[in-house]
Amino acid sequence: MDEKIYIVDFEIVEEKDIEEIFHKWVNSRKNVPLGFKEDVKLMEINAHYAPCYVCDLNVSVDYNIKVQKRHGLRRGVSTLVSKKEEFSTKDYAMFSSKILHRYDMDQIAPFDFSRMSISGYEKKQGTKEKFSQNYEECLQHYRGAILKKLEMFINSGLAKINTKDMKKKFNNINSHEIIKISSHEVLVPVWVCKYSYKYDTYYCLINGQNGKFYGLTPNKQFISKIFIIIFIVILILLMGYT
């Protein structure tokens, strides 16, 4: 583990710009209750440096692939292995954050880690959250998501190896081994928007570099409407019998 703590700095530094992005996000929401967009009240906007581990992963693989000819019915299973028998992924982020670990790492668009700098001067002063999990805990926490992303990565690699007239689909994983190559402690820029609707509190997270957003909103009350409709139908039927 690199002992230095790196920072990915804010590119969006004005709260008025974040407020504009927030309302853009609100207006883009679907399947929300009637009047939601008009009744939302933005309560707080906070700049936040959220901790994560940025690492290079190396994986040794041996995959079974279903192979099907494009112009025929022949099918079979073959084992395809890359020539080097390994693949690697770079700049894979695992959040060790109290506000981000609840969300999938891809829900907020990826940060550009090429802009990492050693901790020191920042364009935007914000709360620097402490690391709430160590690297091994994060690795275990995100293991399923990591394997899913690696499978997609390996699939694209194997597609280049196989011939163009073949269609391929993973049958199963024979073996895979994740090897930690390197990792760095990094603080990434996040704007946290706290808003209220009908006396309940919700949050929207905005990437401090590119303005991409993710948040939770209440859903339409489909169930209550169904119950109301059923109640009205039953009432009409009862009135018909009387």
Side-chain angles (χ1 to χ4, degrees):
M1 176 73 67
D2 191 335
E3 293 183 357
K4 297 175 182 176
I5 296 180
Y6 295 83
I7 286 179
V8 178
D9 213 345
F10 281 86
E11 294 297 323
I12 307 174
V13 296
E14 298 294 336
E15 288 192 17
K16 61 180 179 62
D17 295 328
I18 294 300
E19 186 172 352
E20 184 178 331
I21 293 172
F22 170 78
H23 289 296
K24 179 181 177 182
W25 170 76
V26 169
N27 290 327
S28 70
R29 297 302 87 195
K30 298 179 180 179
N31 297 322
V32 292
L34 188 66
F36 168 78
K37 297 175 183 179
E38 293 76 19
D39 293 339
V40 162
K41 293 182 175 58
L42 182 58
M43 300 165 65
E44 292 181 9
I45 299 177
N46 295 309
H48 195 90
Y49 282 103
C52 70
Y53 296 97
V54 176
C55 48
D56 295 339
L57 297 176
N58 194 11
V59 59
S60 176
V61 294
D62 181 3
Y63 271 54
N64 273 348
I65 308 295
K66 283 184 178 179
V67 181
Q68 179 180 344
K69 287 285 187 180
R70 185 171 290 178
H71 304 290
L73 299 176
R74 265 191 320 169
R75 296 178 181 176
V77 176
S78 63
T79 300
L80 299 179
V81 182
S82 69
K83 294 179 181 178
K84 295 181 180 180
E85 296 187 355
E86 64 183 20
F87 293 88
S88 62
T89 58
K90 294 184 177 180
D91 291 347
Y92 195 88
M94 295 185 292
F95 290 109
S96 176
S97 165
K98 292 179 180 178
I99 64 166
L100 291 179
H101 75 276
R102 296 171 297 176
Y103 305 105
D104 185 88
M105 59 193 75
D106 291 326
Q107 287 177 326
I108 298 179
F111 295 87
D112 182 2
F113 293 109
S114 66
R115 301 182 185 182
M116 288 195 303
S117 60
I118 297 175
S119 180
Y121 171 78
E122 299 97 42
K123 291 181 183 177
K124 180 71 179 177
Q125 295 298 319
T127 302
K128 294 181 182 177
E129 185 185 342
K130 294 181 180 179
F131 284 77
S132 58
Q133 291 177 302
N134 61 37
Y135 178 82
E136 296 301 328
E137 289 172 336
C138 276
L139 186 64
Q140 183 64 28
H141 185 81
Y142 289 114
R143 187 171 184 82
I146 290 171
L147 291 178
K148 183 177 179 181
K149 186 169 183 178
L150 286 174
E151 182 174 325
M152 295 174 61
F153 185 85
I154 293 163
N155 190 14
S156 63
L158 291 175
K160 295 177 183 178
I161 299 171
N162 207 356
T163 57
K164 292 182 180 179
D165 63 339
M166 297 273 193
K167 285 185 177 180
K168 300 166 296 302
K169 183 179 180 181
F170 284 123
N171 184 33
N172 57 59
I173 302 173
N174 269 356
S175 64
H176 57 271
E177 183 181 1
I178 298 176
I179 306 168
K180 183 178 71 173
I181 300 176
S182 62
S183 61
H184 310 283
E185 292 185 345
V186 180
L187 296 174
V188 294
V190 178
W191 286 97
V192 181
C193 296
K194 180 180 179 180
Y195 73 96
S196 65
Y197 171 75
K198 300 288 187 183
Y199 305 106
D200 289 323
T201 301
Y202 301 88
Y203 293 89
C204 173
L205 308 179
I206 298 175
N207 186 314
Q209 273 190 314
N210 54 30
K212 298 295 182 180
F213 38 63
Y214 175 77
L216 298 177
T217 56
N219 295 323
K220 286 182 179 178
Q221 301 297 321
F222 289 111
I223 296 177
S224 61
K225 287 183 180 179
I226 291 172
F227 279 119
I228 291 172
I229 293 171
I230 293 173
F231 176 77
I232 293 173
V233 171
I234 293 173
L235 187 61
I236 291 171
L237 290 174
L238 289 173
M239 290 174 65
Y241 282 110
T242 58

Tab-separated table of all heavy atoms in Angstrom, residues 145-167:
chain	number	residue	atom	x	y	z
A	145	ALA	N	-18.875	-7.467	-7.396
A	145	ALA	CA	-18.851	-6.440	-8.431
A	145	ALA	C	-17.539	-6.485	-9.209
A	145	ALA	O	-17.524	-6.281	-10.427
A	145	ALA	CB	-19.040	-5.062	-7.802
A	146	ILE	N	-16.444	-6.780	-8.504
A	146	ILE	CA	-15.139	-6.861	-9.161
A	146	ILE	C	-15.118	-8.013	-10.167
A	146	ILE	O	-14.679	-7.858	-11.305
A	146	ILE	CB	-14.017	-7.045	-8.122
A	146	ILE	CG1	-13.841	-5.754	-7.314
A	146	ILE	CG2	-12.698	-7.431	-8.787
A	146	ILE	CD1	-12.916	-5.899	-6.132
A	147	LEU	N	-15.626	-9.180	-9.746
A	147	LEU	CA	-15.633	-10.345	-10.630
A	147	LEU	C	-16.514	-10.097	-11.851
A	147	LEU	O	-16.177	-10.525	-12.962
A	147	LEU	CB	-16.108	-11.578	-9.865
A	147	LEU	CG	-15.162	-12.102	-8.787
A	147	LEU	CD1	-15.777	-13.306	-8.080
A	147	LEU	CD2	-13.812	-12.490	-9.393
A	148	LYS	N	-17.630	-9.400	-11.656
A	148	LYS	CA	-18.515	-9.096	-12.779
A	148	LYS	C	-17.817	-8.190	-13.782
A	148	LYS	O	-17.887	-8.405	-15.000
A	148	LYS	CB	-19.788	-8.423	-12.265
A	148	LYS	CG	-20.808	-8.131	-13.362
A	148	LYS	CD	-22.066	-7.522	-12.774
A	148	LYS	CE	-23.074	-7.209	-13.884
A	148	LYS	NZ	-24.312	-6.591	-13.327
A	149	LYS	N	-17.122	-7.189	-13.278
A	149	LYS	CA	-16.421	-6.264	-14.166
A	149	LYS	C	-15.249	-6.957	-14.858
A	149	LYS	O	-15.005	-6.752	-16.055
A	149	LYS	CB	-15.911	-5.051	-13.368
A	149	LYS	CG	-15.298	-3.972	-14.243
A	149	LYS	CD	-15.062	-2.706	-13.462
A	149	LYS	CE	-14.524	-1.603	-14.356
A	149	LYS	NZ	-14.337	-0.334	-13.630
A	150	LEU	N	-14.545	-7.811	-14.121
A	150	LEU	CA	-13.441	-8.556	-14.714
A	150	LEU	C	-13.937	-9.510	-15.788
A	150	LEU	O	-13.277	-9.700	-16.814
A	150	LEU	CB	-12.678	-9.325	-13.627
A	150	LEU	CG	-11.787	-8.495	-12.718
A	150	LEU	CD1	-11.204	-9.364	-11.609
A	150	LEU	CD2	-10.667	-7.838	-13.500
A	151	GLU	N	-15.104	-10.110	-15.587
A	151	GLU	CA	-15.659	-11.016	-16.593
A	151	GLU	C	-15.915	-10.278	-17.899
A	151	GLU	O	-15.620	-10.775	-18.985
A	151	GLU	CB	-16.961	-11.635	-16.076
A	151	GLU	CG	-17.579	-12.638	-17.038
A	151	GLU	CD	-18.777	-13.340	-16.443
A	151	GLU	OE1	-18.770	-13.592	-15.226
A	151	GLU	OE2	-19.717	-13.629	-17.195
A	152	MET	N	-16.466	-9.056	-17.799
A	152	MET	CA	-16.696	-8.241	-18.992
A	152	MET	C	-15.375	-7.872	-19.650
A	152	MET	O	-15.239	-7.903	-20.878
A	152	MET	CB	-17.472	-6.982	-18.604
A	152	MET	CG	-18.877	-7.254	-18.102
A	152	MET	SD	-19.702	-5.750	-17.474
A	152	MET	CE	-19.706	-4.745	-18.955
A	153	PHE	N	-14.383	-7.564	-18.833
A	153	PHE	CA	-13.067	-7.180	-19.332
A	153	PHE	C	-12.412	-8.354	-20.068
A	153	PHE	O	-11.865	-8.215	-21.159
A	153	PHE	CB	-12.196	-6.729	-18.157
A	153	PHE	CG	-10.842	-6.198	-18.551
A	153	PHE	CD1	-10.680	-4.876	-18.926
A	153	PHE	CD2	-9.731	-7.029	-18.554
A	153	PHE	CE1	-9.435	-4.389	-19.289
A	153	PHE	CE2	-8.489	-6.546	-18.912
A	153	PHE	CZ	-8.346	-5.225	-19.284
A	154	ILE	N	-12.507	-9.539	-19.458
A	154	ILE	CA	-11.907	-10.735	-20.045
A	154	ILE	C	-12.637	-11.133	-21.319
A	154	ILE	O	-12.031	-11.541	-22.307
A	154	ILE	CB	-11.922	-11.889	-19.019
A	154	ILE	CG1	-10.991	-11.553	-17.855
A	154	ILE	CG2	-11.471	-13.211	-19.650
A	154	ILE	CD1	-11.224	-12.404	-16.626
A	155	ASN	N	-13.961	-10.981	-21.312
A	155	ASN	CA	-14.760	-11.318	-22.479
A	155	ASN	C	-14.320	-10.518	-23.699
A	155	ASN	O	-14.168	-11.052	-24.797
A	155	ASN	CB	-16.242	-11.053	-22.188
A	155	ASN	CG	-17.143	-11.611	-23.268
A	155	ASN	OD1	-16.717	-12.399	-24.095
A	155	ASN	ND2	-18.393	-11.202	-23.248
A	156	SER	N	-14.102	-9.215	-23.494
A	156	SER	CA	-13.660	-8.370	-24.608
A	156	SER	C	-12.274	-8.769	-25.074
A	156	SER	O	-11.950	-8.685	-26.259
A	156	SER	CB	-13.682	-6.897	-24.197
A	156	SER	OG	-12.775	-6.663	-23.132
A	157	GLY	N	-11.435	-9.238	-24.124
A	157	GLY	CA	-10.097	-9.688	-24.500
A	157	GLY	C	-10.120	-10.977	-25.293
A	157	GLY	O	-9.424	-11.130	-26.304
A	158	LEU	N	-10.954	-11.908	-24.874
A	158	LEU	CA	-11.066	-13.184	-25.574
A	158	LEU	C	-11.717	-13.011	-26.939
A	158	LEU	O	-11.441	-13.761	-27.866
A	158	LEU	CB	-11.866	-14.176	-24.736
A	158	LEU	CG	-11.188	-14.678	-23.462
A	158	LEU	CD1	-12.142	-15.544	-22.667
A	158	LEU	CD2	-9.929	-15.468	-23.800
A	159	ALA	N	-12.596	-12.020	-27.056
A	159	ALA	CA	-13.252	-11.775	-28.336
A	159	ALA	C	-12.244	-11.413	-29.413
A	159	ALA	O	-12.421	-11.738	-30.585
A	159	ALA	CB	-14.286	-10.666	-28.190
A	160	LYS	N	-11.159	-10.761	-29.026
A	160	LYS	CA	-10.123	-10.389	-29.994
A	160	LYS	C	-9.325	-11.609	-30.436
A	160	LYS	O	-8.793	-11.655	-31.534
A	160	LYS	CB	-9.195	-9.348	-29.371
A	160	LYS	CG	-9.876	-8.029	-29.052
A	160	LYS	CD	-8.925	-7.076	-28.365
A	160	LYS	CE	-9.628	-5.780	-27.978
A	160	LYS	NZ	-8.727	-4.853	-27.252
A	161	ILE	N	-9.227	-12.611	-29.523
A	161	ILE	CA	-8.442	-13.798	-29.829
A	161	ILE	C	-9.193	-14.728	-30.765
A	161	ILE	O	-8.623	-15.316	-31.680
A	161	ILE	CB	-8.079	-14.548	-28.520
A	161	ILE	CG1	-7.234	-13.643	-27.629
A	161	ILE	CG2	-7.337	-15.846	-28.809
A	161	ILE	CD1	-7.008	-14.209	-26.245
A	162	ASN	N	-10.497	-14.875	-30.567
A	162	ASN	CA	-11.298	-15.807	-31.345
A	162	ASN	C	-11.556	-15.259	-32.744
A	162	ASN	O	-11.359	-14.082	-33.014
A	162	ASN	CB	-12.614	-16.088	-30.622
A	162	ASN	CG	-13.174	-17.447	-30.986
A	162	ASN	OD1	-12.623	-18.154	-31.823
A	162	ASN	ND2	-14.279	-17.802	-30.369
A	163	THR	N	-12.005	-16.128	-33.647
A	163	THR	CA	-12.237	-15.731	-35.038
A	163	THR	C	-13.522	-14.916	-35.155
A	163	THR	O	-14.412	-14.997	-34.318
A	163	THR	CB	-12.345	-16.975	-35.930
A	163	THR	OG1	-13.389	-17.805	-35.431
A	163	THR	CG2	-11.040	-17.750	-35.927
A	164	LYS	N	-13.635	-14.167	-36.237
A	164	LYS	CA	-14.749	-13.253	-36.426
A	164	LYS	C	-16.072	-13.978	-36.688
A	164	LYS	O	-17.136	-13.420	-36.465
A	164	LYS	CB	-14.447	-12.305	-37.577
A	164	LYS	CG	-13.327	-11.318	-37.292
A	164	LYS	CD	-13.118	-10.384	-38.454
A	164	LYS	CE	-11.991	-9.388	-38.165
A	164	LYS	NZ	-11.767	-8.476	-39.298
A	165	ASP	N	-16.018	-15.212	-37.220
A	165	ASP	CA	-17.254	-15.905	-37.583
A	165	ASP	C	-17.834	-16.722	-36.437
A	165	ASP	O	-18.705	-17.557	-36.624
A	165	ASP	CB	-17.022	-16.822	-38.783
A	165	ASP	CG	-16.022	-17.919	-38.483
A	165	ASP	OD1	-15.243	-17.735	-37.532
A	165	ASP	OD2	-16.029	-18.951	-39.179
A	166	MET	N	-17.353	-16.491	-35.220
A	166	MET	CA	-17.837	-17.212	-34.052
A	166	MET	C	-18.626	-16.279	-33.134
A	166	MET	O	-18.314	-15.103	-33.008
A	166	MET	CB	-16.665	-17.800	-33.256
A	166	MET	CG	-15.848	-18.824	-34.017
A	166	MET	SD	-16.564	-20.447	-33.827
A	166	MET	CE	-15.211	-21.457	-34.455
A	167	LYS	N	-19.649	-16.845	-32.514
A	167	LYS	CA	-20.336	-16.152	-31.422
A	167	LYS	C	-19.938	-16.839	-30.131
A	167	LYS	O	-19.884	-18.060	-30.073
A	167	LYS	CB	-21.851	-16.215	-31.595
A	167	LYS	CG	-22.400	-15.298	-32.670
A	167	LYS	CD	-23.921	-15.341	-32.665
A	167	LYS	CE	-24.484	-14.382	-33.688
A	167	LYS	NZ	-25.972	-14.414	-33.692
